[in-house]
């Protein structure tokens, strides 16, 4: 059997929870095998369209700019790591759906600097073009800040559903994103 076939088989067994694979530590049979639920990173355009609404977006800002130290620490990046900040407003039937404030580690997303973000969202481009192997999701309800309220068309202090997500590739951290959803947004997760 070829090495590639063996590696695919081991990867499939690890995804099913039967094996534990650790970088530089090897592969072991799991002591307590557990089936694992998998989650896909949703593409906001597809989410809006699945609701039967028309999707559009507006690129608010895009710049290679210094990342604040607490955010660098959260993503595990050093001071010299190249990053780009992208802010996007997503619309459903021409009404605000979500405001995205995203930081992208350029070493973790090769080609991102040339991505046509006026035609494809950073969210969709990254899902299509970048390898992810792990991440974190934190959902919370928070009051709308000034920027979020302005873009989402609500009063400051309005409770919003907030998603903070960090994603990592096999070699580098990739992105840290804060999504603020318009009032009335409902989370639906499938396992």
């Amino acid at each position: 059997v070829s090495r590639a076939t063996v590696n695919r088989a081991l990867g499939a067994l690890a995804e099913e929870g039967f094996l534990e694979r650790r970088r530089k530590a090897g592969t072991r049979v799991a002591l307590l095998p557990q089936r694992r639920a998998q989650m896909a990173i949703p593409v906001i355009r597809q989410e809006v369209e699945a609701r039967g609404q028309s999707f559009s977006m507006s690129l608010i800002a895009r710049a290679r700019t210094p990342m604040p130290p607490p955010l660098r620490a959260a993503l595990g990046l050093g001071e010299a790591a190249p990053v780009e900040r992208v802010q996007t407003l997503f619309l459903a039937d021409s009404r605000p759906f979500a405001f995205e404030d995203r930081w992208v580690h350029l070493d973790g997303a090769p080609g991102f600097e040339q991505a046509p973000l006026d035609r494809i969202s950073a969210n969709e481009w990254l899902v299509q073009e970048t390898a992810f192997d792990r991440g974190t999701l934190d959902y919370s309800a928070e009051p709308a800040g000034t920027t979020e309220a302005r873009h989402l068309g609500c009063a400051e202090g309005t409770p919003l559903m907030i998603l903070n997500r960090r994603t990592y590739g096999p070699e580098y951290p990739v992105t840290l994103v804060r999504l603020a959803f318009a009032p009335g947004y409902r989370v639906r997760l499938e396992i």
Side-chain angles (χ1 to χ4, degrees):
V1 180
S2 74
R3 283 180 72 158
T5 301
V6 170
N7 198 30
R8 273 197 310 273
L10 290 174
L13 289 170
E15 284 201 23
E16 290 292 322
F18 295 109
L19 299 178
E20 293 176 355
R21 298 181 98 183
R22 292 202 178 110
R23 195 169 174 207
K24 297 184 181 179
T27 301
R28 292 181 167 59
V29 174
L31 290 176
L32 302 170
Q34 297 177 6
R35 293 193 60 103
R36 296 182 183 168
Q38 293 183 2
M39 262 180 95
I41 295 175
V43 173
I44 294 174
R45 176 187 56 77
Q46 293 171 347
E47 185 178 351
V48 169
E49 290 171 349
R51 294 169 179 241
Q53 297 175 299
S54 66
F55 171 81
S56 59
M57 64 173 202
S58 176
L59 180 62
I60 305 296
R62 179 182 192 176
R64 196 163 172 174
T65 185
M67 188 178 199
L71 298 181
R72 279 189 179 277
L75 203 51
L77 294 176
E79 235 179 271
V83 296
E84 188 172 304
R85 185 179 190 183
V86 178
Q87 294 178 318
T88 308
L89 177 62
F90 297 99
L91 304 163
D93 289 339
S94 301
R95 292 192 352 245
F97 180 78
F99 175 71
E100 178 183 85
D101 190 0
R102 177 183 297 272
W103 294 87
V104 178
H105 176 220
L106 299 174
D107 290 341
F112 185 79
E113 283 186 287
Q114 291 77 38
L117 300 185
D118 55 334
R119 294 192 310 263
I120 183 171
S121 70
N123 162 251
E124 191 162 356
W125 190 93
L126 287 163
V127 168
Q128 290 177 7
E129 302 293 333
T130 307
F132 299 100
D133 65 2
R134 65 191 186 287
T136 64
L137 297 167
D138 295 303
Y139 281 98
S140 60
E142 296 179 22
T146 305
T147 303
E148 295 159 339
R150 183 175 72 246
H151 292 297
L152 295 176
C154 62
E156 279 188 56
T158 301
L160 301 177
M161 175 66 68
I162 304 293
L163 164 64
N164 287 294
R165 182 175 61 229
R166 291 179 283 177
T167 50
Y168 302 86
E171 296 180 42
Y172 297 105
V174 177
T175 188
L176 183 147
V177 62
R178 176 184 166 91
L179 272 164
F181 293 93
Y185 179 79
R186 200 169 174 192
V187 176
R188 180 167 190 231
L189 302 174
E190 293 184 18
I191 55 171

